Structure formats: structure tokens, C-alpha cells
């Protein structure tokens, strides 16, 4: 994002006011509002351009292999804007790794995809629970003495299974109990073998 000379003057005055608060006149306040509006519009425009670039990238990816050179160039531009390569990008690049640009982009995208997965997993591990602080304070710990586990009466142990126990509660038999091993027939005595 580039600022013009007038915008830089307004930005400098706003920063000076943030560091050393002094009363602002109406003109300075209006200038700050205009600058904030311009920055917001530039951010919205950058978002629209990114969305267009990503949609264009998907169209080129769907038209592969005929659009290989355009797809690789667009992917390079998208990566420069912070695009996270998707699984379909990695699959497309595997088909284009016979070119030097395709092989280089595949290696780069594999590294970026791995970093993205690690960052997401680290974020899941360190992210606080989604419930509010009031709900958290009302939750009782079950593992500590005096918690709900201590208040609950002990559960009776299940009785051994009997033939009239419903099938859902019977233990599952082992295969060796259902299908006993077959025994080989005993060999006939030697004298009968000689006679026959």
C-alpha cells in the first residue's frame, strides 16, 4: 500500500497526536477520517483482487494440463499474496513436476502446506476453550475429591452372565470358543495298514 504526500502528512500528525495527545481541530479530525476511509477502501480493494486472483487460479487449475504455464504463473502470484496451497494445488503440481517451474513450485508448496498444518495443530493445542469464563467457573472438576464423582453413589458391579441374559449384555465369545480347533483323525494301527 502506498501513501501520497498529503496522506503521509495526515498520518504523521495522527502519530504525533497518539504519542503526545493534544487537542485536535476539526480539520485534522476530518483529515484522519478521510485517511481511515481511504485505507479501508484500499483494504477492501485488495481483498477483491485476492478473491479474483484465487478464482482465476481455480479456473486455470481446472483447465490443466492445457493451461499449465498460466496456472504456474498465477500460483506464484497467489503465493506472494499469502495464499495457502490446497490439496488440489499439490495434486496439480505433482502432474506438472516434469517442468523446472512446476518442480520448484511443488517443493515450495509442500513446505508451505506442512507449515500451515503445523500452525493449525499448534493453534488447536494452545487455543483456550470456546466456553465463557462464567461457564468455566461453574464447571466442577470430576477428578478432585468433593467433585461430582465423590457425590455419586458407587455403581454396582455387573452380575456374571447367565443363559437368559439379553444378547447385548453378554460378553462376546472368542473365535476359539465358537470354532474349536479340528483334531486330525488318528492314524490306523500299523497292522491294519499292512493288511490292506
Amino acid at each position: 500500500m502506498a501513501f501520497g504526500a498529503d496522506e503521509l502528512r495526515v498520518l504523521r500528525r495522527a502519530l504525533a497526536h497518539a504519542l503526545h495527545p493534544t487537542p485536535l481541530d476539526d480539520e485534522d479530525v476530518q483529515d484522519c477520517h478521510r485517511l481511515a476511509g481511504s485505507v479501508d477502501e484500499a483494504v477492501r480493494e485488495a481483498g477483491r483482487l485476492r478473491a479474483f486472483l484465487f478464482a482465476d487460479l481455480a479456473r486455470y487449475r481446472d483447465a490443466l494440463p492445457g493451461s499449465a504455464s498460466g496456472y504456474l504463473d498465477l500460483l506464484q502470484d497467489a503465493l506472494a499474496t499469502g495464499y495457502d496451497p490446497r490439496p488440489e494445488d499439490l495434486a496439480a503440481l505433482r502432474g506438472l513436476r516434469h517442468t523446472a517451474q512446476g518442480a520448484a513450485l511443488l517443493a515450495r508448496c509442500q513446505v508451505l502446506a506442512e507449515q500451515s498444518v503445523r500452525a493449525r495443530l499448534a493453534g488447536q493445542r494452545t487455543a483456550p476453550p470456546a466456553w465463557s469464563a462464567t461457564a468455566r467457573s461453574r464447571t466442577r472438576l470430576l477428578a478432585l475429591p468433593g467433585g461430582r464423582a465423590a457425590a455419586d453413589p458407587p455403581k454396582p458391579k455387573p452380575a456374571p452372565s447367565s443363559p437368559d441374559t439379553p444378547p447385548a449384555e453378554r460378553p462376546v465369545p472368542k473365535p476359539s470358543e465358537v470354532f474349536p480347533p479340528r483334531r486330525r483323525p488318528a492314524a490306523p494301527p500299523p497292522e491294519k495298514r499292512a493288511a490292506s
Side-chain angles (χ1 to χ4, degrees):
M1 186 181 299
F3 290 104
D6 291 337
E7 293 170 332
L8 281 175
R9 275 194 289 277
V10 174
L11 187 58
R12 190 177 298 122
R13 284 199 309 265
L15 289 173
H17 175 71
L19 292 172
H20 307 289
T22 56
L24 287 173
D25 58 1
D26 290 343
E27 187 181 342
D28 286 342
V29 171
Q30 288 175 356
D31 287 343
C32 286
H33 281 300
R34 276 195 293 273
L35 179 62
S38 298
V39 169
D40 288 344
E41 180 57 35
V43 168
R44 283 193 295 272
E45 183 62 26
R48 284 192 291 269
L49 285 173
R50 279 172 55 108
F52 176 78
L53 174 63
F54 297 162
D56 218 15
L57 180 67
R59 281 193 292 275
Y60 272 76
R61 185 177 54 234
D62 292 341
L64 286 172
S67 60
S69 62
Y71 170 71
L72 294 174
D73 291 340
L74 278 174
L75 181 59
Q76 227 165 1
D77 293 343
L79 292 174
T81 65
Y83 175 72
D84 244 355
R86 299 180 178 181
E88 49 267 30
D89 291 311
L90 294 172
L93 287 171
R94 285 187 194 101
L96 299 173
R97 65 179 163 215
H98 60 276
T99 65
Q101 188 182 11
L105 276 173
L106 176 61
R108 181 177 173 195
C109 286
Q110 284 174 331
V111 169
L112 290 173
E114 187 177 332
Q115 288 172 350
S116 174
V117 168
R118 284 184 180 167
R120 268 183 275 151
L121 289 175
Q124 285 175 358
R125 280 192 219 111
T126 59
W131 58 82
S132 65
T134 55
R136 235 187 352 253
S137 64
R138 281 186 264 128
T139 304
R140 295 173 68 187
L141 294 175
L142 303 179
L144 296 177
R148 190 181 303 157
D152 288 345
K155 294 181 183 174
K157 293 184 179 178
S161 63
S162 60
D164 50 326
T165 306
E169 297 177 11
R170 280 192 209 146
V172 178
K174 297 178 191 172
S176 61
E177 295 171 348
V178 177
F179 305 106
R182 291 187 182 177
R183 301 198 190 281
R184 292 186 181 181
E191 58 274 358
K192 284 187 181 176
R193 248 189 284 163
S196 61

